[in-house]
Amino acid sequence: MRTDTATSLSSGIGPPDRDVLAQILRETSVPLTAGQLLRRLGLPPDRKKQVRAVLHAMALDGVFREDALLGKLRGEPDLPLLAEIVITGHDRHGAPFGRIAADEALGRRAMAKGGQPIVFVHPPLSDEPPLVAGARVLTRLRSVGASRYEARILKRQEPVCFVGIFGGDEVRACDPQSTCRRTVPAEDRPGLKAGDLVQTDDDGRIRRCFGKLDDPLAVADMGRAEYGLPEAFPSDVLSEALRLTAPDTGPLPAGRKDFRSIPFVTVDGPDARDFDDAIWAEREGEGFRLLVAIADVSHYVTPHSAFDEEARRRGHSVYFPDGVVPMLPPRLSEDLCSLRPDEERFCVVFDIRFNAEGLPTNTHIDHGVIRSRARLTYEQLEAMREGTQPFLHDDLGRAWIDTLYAAHEALRAARIRRGCLQVADRDLLRVELDRQTGRLDVSDSRPLESRHLVESFMIAACHAGAQVLRDKGKAALFRSHADARAVADVPRLPAVYTAEPARHAGLQLDVYAHLTSPIRRYADLTNHRMLLEAIAPEGSPAQATSPDDGDLLALAAHLTVTEARAAEASTTMRQRLLTLWLCQDQERIWTGHVTGATPDGALVTLTETQATGLLPFRENTDRKMLSDSCGGSEACSGAAASSPEAWALFSLRKGVVVRVRIAGLSRDVFQCIFHCAGFSA
């Protein structure tokens, strides 16, 4: 301690020096109380209040976010706890929640113990832009249970990307739950029209105009900008891609097994271009042999290359109705790694045997080469099963189809016996946007068992690979899902990446890891590298450089965020495009139910599309509607049915079923406006 500082402290002149306090805490091996700090400073007991005041100020300034100071104080439960939070989702009421940032000492310590605390964030102030997945905020935390915190926002940590709808002299947020507005300077207004979708900075300056509110292409472009998604690959990544070549058709490289005689097929959606998994199955006695071939992306994307750094930064491919923002450039994702028919491709092949009850009996994982026989869609595979579409090859006929579905039924029965979380089919409307013509199409997509079949096979492969990684003691990115049951008013928390083997409660599996989509998920690529190292013969050169614990923890936190961003961006754009499509037909009657209320009316969510719109309290008095209060047959006047008493009785009760027509698209926020066409029991 410096002499002048020690003199001032002992003489009672001024508050205790915060730098000295911090240094004492850094050097201690055990947490200290304020009283113990006082004694180490040589101060009398009556200075304890001053010490606590300085500690409080240090906490508010974020001093205790430093790794060397975290947890060094005890006995101070009211001391403010600050941390940077990354938003990863929203609950059913639209309130944001997130995870502690990967570079925060508090987050690293929690992850080192096997978890990522969930943080429920108070919504931003009404004049602040909405928080989207991936947004970073500095918050003040309060513990509300084991691995759970409540947070109040102190400030945004990144330049705010505010997108909204221009009207008059201001821009309003597209989110119906936000009242954020930004006044546009007069010099930026020429050329703008009411209803234009724009991006502004925090001062209201226009950075970009996307187009009209009712233009699907403008909506798509705005969504990419809103979530900060990259528009192009760096030049060094594209240059690296041009130097790559496809596998030779000659002798196999050392260490690769020949699976080219197996009639693998890929099964994906009709718009898919990146085919990263292929399947095949046969019966073995009463049980089954399942082969799952996964594209060997690690053959092309080596650690710390330009490819690797860009793929890590992106984390996930993001799929939209008008295309994809890929994790890997098209040269890889749609060509060299994609398991296209009749082309040789390097793969990791999971050879899984299981009995008639769906329980695994033996698993072998190989470095291999395959040649897919066909590219099927889910609809085609289902049609083959139903006998409405001819089979493509002699060796892919009725017996093979029946075997596939029987294997799937065995695996599904095993999941049901385990008590696996059952999730109903959602998003049964296919939304498609043609970038060339701007045409927006929405079509029905019936539930298909073929989708669940592929899902069953991928789960089996991921579980098998995760067991190998765990049993071999390999560092990897495992999936942790701590609670599969929803609790009232608490969102069902999604699974997250963790650096330690963990139970997946949703699937009721002892360990699980993503391994089947390395073209679109960086976690799968990382795990492939570790898996190939685990299955390599003794004495083989290392396949990859194993990440250290700190890097793996940071990567797990980063990929949890990029996964959430990809999911939210896809869902948001899909819902906005559905809203545009709904407004094209104002005669059709839709069924929905009341999910909330605003000062202007009831929020109604349509059953078929899951789109939410506003049913205003006051409608045109010439419009009539039917309700159960009129016996189901009498026509009530619009004035009577729209009275506050009637709306309080019917519309403001959550869950009430209502029939509506589309009146139009709100010019204030991105939302349908409904007219009531009647109530249902």
Side-chain angles (χ1 to χ4, degrees):
M1 188 185 303
R2 297 189 305 268
T3 303
D4 56 344
T5 302
T7 302
S8 65
L9 289 174
S10 60
S11 62
I13 301 173
D17 187 284
R18 58 192 294 163
D19 293 336
V20 175
L21 287 172
Q23 190 58 35
I24 291 174
L25 291 171
R26 287 189 191 98
E27 294 172 354
T28 182
S29 58
V30 294
L32 301 177
T33 65
Q36 290 170 323
L37 274 173
L38 204 68
R39 288 191 289 275
R40 294 202 179 195
L41 289 168
L43 297 177
D46 60 1
R47 299 287 300 279
K48 190 172 185 179
K49 187 174 182 180
Q50 281 187 322
V51 170
R52 281 182 164 159
V54 174
L55 293 173
H56 191 278
M58 291 168 66
L60 283 177
D61 289 341
V63 173
F64 295 114
R65 294 167 62 194
E66 181 185 328
D67 202 6
L69 295 176
L70 188 66
K72 290 297 185 70
L73 273 175
R74 64 184 180 91
E76 300 294 326
D78 297 328
L79 200 68
L81 178 62
L82 271 61
E84 186 174 292
I85 303 302
V86 187
I87 303 302
T88 58
H90 296 78
D91 66 17
R92 68 191 67 179
H93 307 297
F97 61 84
R99 306 283 176 175
I100 299 174
D103 49 359
E104 285 283 349
L106 180 64
R108 289 197 303 273
R109 180 167 298 187
M111 290 191 66
K113 295 179 179 179
Q116 288 188 46
I118 186 73
V119 182
F120 301 98
V121 182
H122 285 260
L125 298 175
S126 59
D127 62 344
E128 285 292 317
L131 290 172
V132 300
R136 302 169 73 94
V137 289
L138 181 64
T139 67
R140 181 171 177 174
L141 302 180
R142 182 174 71 89
S143 177
V144 291
S147 294
R148 290 173 180 248
Y149 292 93
E150 179 185 84
R152 293 188 178 276
I153 299 171
L154 299 179
K155 66 177 180 178
R156 304 284 280 257
Q157 292 292 81
E158 79 289 338
V160 176
C161 174
F162 179 50
V163 298
I165 304 168
F166 177 74
D169 59 355
E170 65 181 14
V171 176
R172 176 169 177 167
C174 295
D175 186 344
Q177 295 184 325
S178 174
T179 59
C180 179
R181 291 177 170 84
R182 291 290 181 266
T183 300
V184 178
E187 59 269 24
D188 284 7
R189 295 175 199 166
L192 294 179
K193 297 179 181 178
D196 279 348
L197 299 175
V198 299
Q199 178 182 350
T200 78
D201 59 23
D202 211 35
D203 296 325
R205 302 301 302 263
I206 300 296
R207 296 175 59 186
R208 186 175 175 185
C209 181
F210 303 101
K212 300 295 292 182
L213 173 64
D214 55 2
D215 179 359
L217 292 177
V219 173
D221 292 340
M222 180 185 70
R224 286 171 167 79
E226 183 176 13
Y227 286 88
L229 299 175
E231 296 184 2
F233 284 93
S235 58
D236 58 341
V237 172
L238 296 177
S239 298
E240 211 171 85
L242 292 175
R243 295 193 292 268
L244 298 175
T245 58
D248 293 329
T249 56
L252 293 183
R256 287 196 182 270
K257 187 174 179 179
D258 192 348
F259 289 92
R260 289 174 292 187
S261 63
I262 301 293
F264 283 100
V265 300
T266 61
V267 186
D268 295 273
D271 300 324
R273 297 169 124 185
D274 49 355
F275 313 131
D276 50 14
D277 57 82
I279 59 174
W280 180 80
E282 67 177 350
R283 288 188 179 272
E284 283 194 341
E286 295 296 319
F288 301 89
R289 180 193 182 195
L290 169 67
L291 294 182
V292 177
I294 307 299
D296 185 7
V297 178
S298 65
H299 174 77
Y300 299 101
V301 183
T302 56
H304 310 301
S305 63
F307 273 155
D308 186 56
E309 295 298 329
E310 182 65 14
R312 176 176 177 142
R313 184 178 72 86
R314 296 184 177 218
H316 287 74
S317 294
V318 188
Y319 293 88
F320 293 126
D322 66 324
V324 60
V325 179
M327 183 183 80
L328 297 171
R331 171 68 172 152
L332 279 176
S333 61
E334 299 177 14
D335 185 3
L336 297 179
C337 294
S338 188
L339 308 184
R340 302 191 301 195
D342 301 317
E343 296 185 16
E344 294 189 2
R345 290 292 182 263
F346 292 145
C347 286
V348 178
V349 180
F350 296 77
D351 190 342
I352 306 169
R353 266 91 167 177
F354 54 94
N355 60 26
E357 286 72 44
L359 301 177
T361 57
N362 187 35
T363 298
H364 194 73
I365 302 173
D366 288 296
H367 222 178
V369 176
I370 75 161
R371 184 188 293 117
S372 172
R373 295 295 192 275
R375 177 267 199 270
L376 299 179
T377 66
Y378 296 114
E379 290 79 5
Q380 287 173 324
L381 184 60
E382 197 78 358
M384 289 179 185
R385 180 198 188 195
E386 296 169 350
T388 59
Q389 178 167 317
F391 305 112
L392 301 181
H393 295 273
D394 292 339
D395 50 3
L396 300 176
R398 167 56 58 191
W400 177 75
I401 292 288
D402 290 344
T403 298
L404 278 185
Y405 278 89
H408 158 55
E409 289 298 333
L411 292 172
R412 182 168 64 176
R415 290 206 308 275
I416 293 174
R417 288 195 302 271
R418 292 197 307 265
C420 181
L421 177 67
Q422 302 296 309
V423 180
D425 285 306
R426 300 290 299 272
D427 298 341
L428 295 180
L429 291 178
R430 180 182 298 140
V431 182
E432 298 174 292
L433 174 60
D434 189 322
R435 293 292 304 184
Q436 300 300 318
T437 64
R439 179 180 175 82
L440 176 63
D441 288 316
V442 177
S443 56
D444 292 324
S445 175
R446 66 187 177 98
L448 296 172
E449 195 60 34
S450 56
R451 290 182 179 271
H452 299 301
L453 178 149
V454 173
E455 182 182 75
S456 288
F457 294 170
M458 297 306 114
I459 290 173
C462 288
H463 182 218
Q467 288 179 313
V468 171
L469 288 167
R470 179 196 60 193
D471 295 345
K472 293 283 188 176
K474 290 295 181 182
L477 292 170
F478 297 93
R479 292 291 277 179
S480 173
H481 192 207
D483 184 7
R485 294 176 297 176
V487 180
D489 294 325
V490 175
R492 177 181 286 121
L493 301 180
V496 296
Y497 291 109
T498 178
E500 296 290 334
R503 181 169 178 77
H504 195 297
L507 295 173
Q508 288 295 303
L509 292 173
D510 57 339
V511 67
Y512 193 73
H514 280 161
L515 286 156
T516 56
S517 296
I519 290 177
R520 64 183 180 90
R521 288 189 306 226
Y522 190 79
D524 301 54
L525 171 57
T526 299
N527 288 337
H528 266 219
R529 291 168 177 163
M530 300 302 104
L531 184 62
L532 292 176
E533 188 176 277
I535 66 174
E538 290 287 338
S540 298
Q543 298 288 328
T545 303
S546 298
D548 59 40
D549 291 344
D551 181 64
L552 206 57
L553 291 175
L555 182 57
H558 168 66
L559 295 181
T560 295
V561 173
T562 60
E563 177 185 38
R565 181 183 66 177
E568 184 176 293
S570 296
T571 300
T572 298
M573 186 184 294
R574 182 180 182 277
Q575 288 298 323
R576 286 173 178 170
L577 291 174
L578 264 177
T579 298
L580 289 187
W581 177 77
L582 287 168
C583 292
Q584 296 174 3
D585 185 355
Q586 299 188 9
E587 295 302 320
R588 180 174 175 177
I589 295 178
W590 300 84
T591 298
H593 62 282
V594 176
T595 53
T598 74
D600 300 317
L603 296 175
V604 174
T605 299
L606 302 184
T607 303
E608 186 173 350
T609 69
Q610 295 300 303
T612 298
L614 180 70
L615 184 58
F617 284 131
R618 303 192 183 281
E619 296 191 314
N620 189 310
T621 55
D622 293 332
R623 184 170 293 277
K624 303 199 180 225
M625 58 186 177
L626 299 176
S627 74
D628 288 340
S629 67
C630 302
S633 60
E634 298 178 22
C636 302
S637 73
S642 297
S643 66
E645 293 79 14
W647 284 107
L649 179 62
F650 295 108
S651 297
L652 293 185
R653 287 209 313 267
K654 286 186 178 181
V656 168
V657 179
V658 61
R659 297 189 297 277
V660 297
R661 286 191 180 92
I662 309 297
L665 184 64
S666 169
R667 292 289 170 174
D668 295 322
V669 294
F670 210 96
Q671 186 180 63
C672 281
I673 302 297
F674 296 140
H675 280 323
C676 186
F679 293 94
S680 300

